[in-house]
Amino acid sequence: MIEKEDPIISEEEAAQYDRQIRLWGLDAQKRLRGSRVLLAGLGGLGAEVAKNLILAGVKGLTLLDHEQVSEDSCRAQFLVPVSAQGQNRARASLERAQNLNPMVEVHADPDRVEDKPDDFFLQFDATARFCSLKEALEVDWTSEKAKAALKRTPLDYFLLHVLLKFRTDKGRDPDPKSFTEDGQLLRQIRDDVLEALALSSDLLNDDFISYCFSEVSPVCAVVGGVLGQEVVKALSQRDAPHRNFFFFNGRKGSGVVDYFGPN
Amino acid sequence: MADAEEPEKKRRRIEDLTEKMAVESGHRDGGWDGRWNHVRKFLERPGPFTHPDFEPSTESLQFLLETCKILVIGAGGLGCELLKNLALSGFRLIHVVDMDTIDVSNLNRQFLFRPKDVGRPKAEVAADFINNRIPGCKVVPHFKKIQDFDESFYRQFHIIVCGLDSIIARRWINGMLISVLSYEDGVLDPSSIIPLIDGGTEGFKGNARVILPGMTACIDCTLELYPPQINFPMCTIASMPRLPEHCIEYARILQWPKEQPFGETSLDGDNPEHIQWVFERSKDRASQFNIPGVTYRLTQGVVKRIIPAVASTNAVIAAACATEVFKIATSAYIPLNNYLVFNDVDGLYTYTFEAERKENCTACSQVPQDLQFPPSAKLQEVLEYLTENASLQMKSPAITTTLEGKNKTLYLQSVKSIEERTRPNLCKTLKELGLSDGQEIAVADVTTPQTVLFKINFTA
């Protein structure tokens, strides 16, 4: 983890971080101060997480994103200037991200995460990304235990399965420009996914498609807040992280923590 | 790493770019093609979660962009996040009120502010930042207290959302919105209701609630839900300290007034010399009782009653509040009903419940408040009741009544000369003061913009 020499908190930092030091202690702040974090993906959610980590005072944050700024990007992603369409999303977010806290070293990297060599990741103490979702989501729904748990399972879990498959098949997320074909494909995938899990396709009715096409600022902020705090917990080695999925439902204003994984 | 460009030059550059885009895409409102598509998806097509009465149309978006007026109270931890969320969601007519200036300790979460802004009014810096960043958004700042405005100010808003740091202020705005309600033949006129979305955070805990004044539970309906503010008993402080906080309170409450180390000045939490003095006295006391843990930081925290705060909790609660503003402004989705709690101290806990109205709520029930006292009770007892009763929790009530057709102040604390003049009344009985059975008294207090009427019924 973070084994380097004991980072010193300057007076300036102690003054700026005062209110959070009172929350998690000086030792935790020092560990944050010595951590380098990799953030892959600078959509609306990524931007919120970036804000929360930069304000928290990590040593370095690398923004990794191979995507370009599109029309959609400007809406719920507040780090990217309107004039930056066509530029790399990480690079376009850099200036404003850095301005949030000059004491943090913020870098932009336009590469694909898949193209990075293994030792690239060794320089970081924590990474925030959606990886190994596939494994985490694999549950045997035919077992009695799983069937019993089905009632309590947030529908968002199945939605996630569908979106992941879409992403794998198409190499991109659903695009409003191809709403009709993507909508049809999503429905088809929904049927396939639920069939493969030996579940009824009624579980996720047709209207779920309307949720697959955009992100809204406040919802990004809620999940970004929770995710940011998870990273802080991991880096500061205080408190156990959530086990292991957090779903936020903006419609009901409620959040649920649930565990998905092998056994 | 800081802004390489001067603010004015930057503003011009952004304006030019926006102007160019607007002209090219034929928009006159500072927009560009597809700018609000993410919002349109919620408002211009049907969906499974919309309000039963919802009809998709382009009018909702136009309402947000051109007409809907929102008041944000507080430009601090919650306020900065609220302004960002609202501006990005299409709200453009926003006023923000905050009486404070920026402190360096705000910078860990109030991200619209930079080190160079320290000392400037929060409302003004926040408004500048949003207006420069979001083309077309017009945030109007007010470097004022909420009490500086009257109902004519508040009536202009469609929705009010608060990120306050005091219960007194919450009760005040709550009372203000109740006072603008209009009733015809005892029936509430719905068009006089201004929804109040209230958010609050402390460390890793927070809550968000939706209040429809006159219809749903108000702040005072659930006053007892607020945990009591920590005040250590005097006997613990004076003779049996166990915690470092007790030692600090000993120095603050007992030693400072006695020793007056800097002359007759009162203790100033922002004065490092004062804190240093309290710190050293606290250390002495702590070593007498073998209590570890007295630090300069803790001393400052206790003296200033500092509440720990972090960006992530504020992000979550402000976002929940902004979502409710959006839902109510567009009538497109069913609002939160009506109280959400959030806690990520240990794991993550969130719960939503429907807070109920209190039948005899002093603020919103319109039920006359009855007090029972014997005629031999002293005015002091009435005062204590008003401050100590859990449902009332007044801070420094001023009591007036009508005697022989004339208005008489029985007791008032906030003006020194009147306090001195009326202080003897505290020791007089209600009978001696000339009050009769069923007499009405009018009570004014910081917790409410309107006076509250009480009826005193004599008991045997």
Side-chain angles (χ1 to χ4, degrees), chain A residues 48 51 75 78 211 253, chain B residues 34 49 81 84 108 133 340:
Chain A
E48 288 282 344
K51 161 180 74 70
R75 297 179 199 129
F78 60 90
Y211 287 90
Chain B
F49 301 124
E81 296 273 351
K84 157 183 63 83
N108 79 323
R133 174 71 69 90
L340 175 148

Side-chain angles (χ1 to χ4, degrees), chain B residues 230-419:
Chain B
I230 295 183
N231 278 311
F232 305 110
M234 191 48 84
C235 50
T236 309
I237 296 173
S239 358
M240 299 169 302
R242 298 178 316 273
L243 299 173
E245 287 86 341
H246 300 154
C247 305
I248 297 166
E249 289 287 74
Y250 182 82
R252 179 181 80 89
I253 298 173
L254 295 172
Q255 287 179 300
W256 178 281
K258 193 168 166 210
E259 294 180 41
Q260 303 255 356
F262 294 90
E264 283 207 13
T265 37
S266 47
L267 178 48
D268 176 8
D270 292 315
N271 185 328
E273 286 183 346
H274 290 199
I275 301 291
Q276 185 63 30
W277 188 92
V278 174
F279 172 48
E280 277 161 21
R281 291 292 172 288
S282 311
K283 266 196 302 189
D284 291 341
R285 178 124 176 113
S287 62
Q288 275 177 41
F289 288 87
N290 270 320
I291 299 172
V294 173
T295 61
Y296 183 91
R297 181 186 302 280
L298 184 67
T299 306
Q300 201 183 26
V302 171
V303 170
K304 289 178 74 173
R305 294 288 193 263
I306 291 178
I307 297 172
V310 71
S312 50
T313 318
N314 283 313
V316 171
I317 295 299
C321 290
T323 305
E324 295 310 309
V325 175
F326 179 82
K327 288 190 212 166
I328 291 175
T330 59
S331 307
Y333 295 84
I334 299 174
L336 176 76
N337 186 19
N338 57 39
Y339 199 118
L340 175 148
V341 301
F342 171 86
N343 181 332
D344 66 341
V345 170
D346 193 13
L348 188 141
Y349 172 76
T350 160
Y351 183 62
T352 302
F353 68 97
E354 185 179 344
E356 288 178 350
R357 286 188 81 180
K358 202 159 154 214
E359 272 174 19
N360 59 343
C361 175
T362 37
C364 77
S365 72
Q366 299 192 295
V367 167
Q369 303 295 312
D370 278 333
L371 300 181
Q372 325 288 340
F373 284 99
S376 57
K378 304 209 171 67
L379 186 64
Q380 175 75 40
E381 289 170 51
V382 177
L383 197 75
E384 277 166 9
Y385 179 82
L386 293 172
T387 50
E388 284 162 23
N389 178 276
S391 316
L392 295 176
Q393 292 188 47
M394 294 194 163
K395 297 300 160 194
S396 58
I399 310 174
T400 57
T401 191
T402 310
L403 286 172
E404 291 161 10
K406 281 192 286 199
N407 203 349
K408 186 174 176 194
T409 305
L410 295 177
Y411 184 67
L412 190 148
Q413 228 174 310
S414 47
V415 179
K416 196 160 170 220
S417 56
I418 306 181
E419 199 280 325

Side-chain angles (χ1 to χ4, degrees), chain A residues 215-229:
Chain A
E215 47 190 12
V216 174
S217 176
V219 175
C220 290
V222 171
V223 182
V226 173
L227 186 49
Q229 195 50 36

Side-chain angles (χ1 to χ4, degrees), chain A residues 247-261:
Chain A
F247 297 101
F248 175 71
N249 187 325
R251 178 180 63 94
K252 286 191 281 184
S254 65
V256 171
V257 174
D258 216 331
Y259 177 74
F260 292 102

